[in-house]
Amino acid sequence: VEGDSGRLQQVVLNLVTNAVEAAGAEGRVRVSTGVVELDSEQLAACRVRPEAEEPTGGQHVYVLFEDDGPGLAPEALNKIFDPFYTTKGGARGLGQAAVEWIVRSQGGALCVDSSPGQGAKFRVVFPARPGLSVSSPSVMTDTDRWRAAAEVLVVEEDAAVLETFRALLTRLGCLAHLTRGIDDALEVLGRRKIQAVYLAGRQLAGAAPLLQG
């Protein structure tokens, strides 16, 4: 895949965060990668489509995020990428809007499959680099081989949620720094090169120094 590595890392972090929050402390989240053939009609049917008026079909690399949370009603699906729209109390509703902008600007697409009580699946796809060779376009690749090479700071009070983030980010090849408050997060920022930050909604009130840093 060709694109801005920092922005692509942000897409992964935002979608992982969304899945973790939807699943809750007792739920399950699955992240997988692969290569698939998509035609222009399939790309046009995605909720987030490439900026090109007529998407070009062909081989695409995808990352699939699945959770077993409560799922989304049709009205929520229609608004999920609207700025400031959120189904979570205390959140700002900007994460998915940012995902939409990044995916579109990087020539990708994002398909969403969800219904009440059935969890959710978010599959983000990007055109494969010419010359990509795989044994079968539809076979899952080993997620362990994908490396985001990012250091991610997570600020969250719930220990169970922190451990979920640790497992998922490590699986994605990220180095996770887990903190339970703004003071600890600032200490990490002072000694590490952090590429992305996740803040729990209830942490936002005291986050001004963190965001400025």
Side-chain angles (χ1 to χ4, degrees):
V1 173
E2 295 180 352
D4 185 301
S5 61
R7 289 177 177 175
L8 296 181
Q9 289 167 6
Q10 190 63 53
V11 167
V12 171
L13 177 62
N14 284 15
L15 291 177
V16 167
T17 298
N18 182 71
V20 170
E21 292 181 340
E26 302 299 324
R28 298 184 64 182
V29 173
R30 182 172 183 263
V31 181
S32 55
T33 64
V35 181
V36 65
E37 288 282 344
L38 296 174
D39 59 33
S40 58
E41 291 184 0
Q42 290 173 306
L43 290 170
C46 291
R47 290 189 175 271
V48 176
R49 296 174 290 276
E51 291 182 341
E53 292 185 5
E54 296 185 4
T56 302
Q59 203 172 60
H60 285 70
V61 175
Y62 70 81
V63 186
L64 176 63
F65 305 82
E66 301 175 82
D67 68 71
D68 62 359
L72 296 166
E75 56 269 25
L77 277 176
N78 291 332
K79 298 179 180 179
I80 192 170
F81 296 111
D82 291 353
F84 303 108
Y85 176 78
T86 180
T87 59
K88 308 178 185 72
R92 293 174 294 178
L94 293 174
Q96 297 295 56
V99 165
E100 178 189 26
W101 179 81
I102 294 172
V103 169
R104 283 174 55 85
S105 68
Q106 299 294 303
L110 177 57
C111 303
V112 185
D113 181 15
S114 182
S115 59
Q118 300 298 315
K121 297 179 181 180
F122 287 72
R123 184 169 71 162
V124 59
V125 302
F126 294 97
R129 187 171 55 190
L132 176 66
S133 177
V134 293
S135 57
S136 173
S138 61
V139 173
M140 293 281 189
T141 61
D142 185 355
T143 310
D144 284 332
R145 296 177 185 175
W146 188 80
R147 291 292 178 264
E151 293 197 32
V152 179
L153 173 62
V154 180
V155 189
E156 166 63 64
E157 294 176 358
D158 191 311
V161 174
L162 280 176
E163 286 306 311
T164 301
F165 268 109
R166 182 198 302 276
L168 283 170
L169 291 171
T170 300
R171 176 75 171 168
L172 291 170
C174 298
L175 178 58
H177 298 278
L178 310 177
T179 63
R180 303 183 69 171
I182 299 300
D183 290 340
D184 290 340
L186 287 171
E187 189 274 329
V188 172
L189 279 176
R191 59 183 174 80
R192 305 294 305 189
K193 185 177 181 180
I194 301 298
Q195 282 80 39
V197 177
Y198 164 73
L199 286 165
R202 57 187 170 277
Q203 298 278 2
L204 293 176
L210 190 65
L211 299 177
Q212 292 170 359

